[in-house]
Amino acid sequence: MKAIVSVIGLDKPGIVATVSTILADHNVNITDISQSYAQEFFTMIMVVDFERSNSTIKQVNEDLKKAGEKIGIFMSIQHEDIFRAMHRI
């Protein structure tokens, strides 16, 4: 199963490390990353694979949200099918 991780916030050290640590803790593999900066704003989209994970998207999302609140950024994860449906024109 694939999912999409979204990260948005003011740029600061440790964002990528925080996200990747949470994913590694859940044995979720990062298969693609896209990140960009607009002035002081940071955005990142990751495609991740749950093939070897025993965790659910809900469990990973809870950890991402908690960590995001702690460092002052928005982080979430959605199943690939839901992400595609929400962004279909």
Side-chain angles (χ1 to χ4, degrees), residues 50-75:
F50 275 74
E51 184 177 331
R52 296 182 179 149
S53 178
N54 291 324
S55 298
T56 65
I57 286 180
K58 183 178 180 180
Q59 292 167 325
V60 175
N61 195 46
E62 288 172 3
D63 287 352
L64 288 170
K65 285 189 178 289
K66 283 181 199 172
E69 289 172 4
K70 196 172 187 177
I71 63 173
I73 60 171
F74 172 80
M75 296 193 288

Side-chain angles (χ1 to χ4, degrees), residues 28-84:
V28 174
N29 188 39
I30 300 166
T31 59
D32 198 3
I33 300 173
S34 174
Q35 55 187 0
S36 64
Y37 302 90
Q39 296 180 13
E40 72 271 16
F41 301 102
F42 174 82
T43 61
M44 179 171 62
I45 302 291
M46 294 177 154
V47 179
V48 298
D49 187 343
F50 275 74
E51 184 177 331
R52 296 182 179 149
S53 178
N54 291 324
S55 298
T56 65
I57 286 180
K58 183 178 180 180
Q59 292 167 325
V60 175
N61 195 46
E62 288 172 3
D63 287 352
L64 288 170
K65 285 189 178 289
K66 283 181 199 172
E69 289 172 4
K70 196 172 187 177
I71 63 173
I73 60 171
F74 172 80
M75 296 193 288
S76 71
I77 187 169
Q78 296 175 305
H79 190 283
E80 178 184 30
D81 294 341
I82 294 171
F83 186 86
R84 286 182 187 275

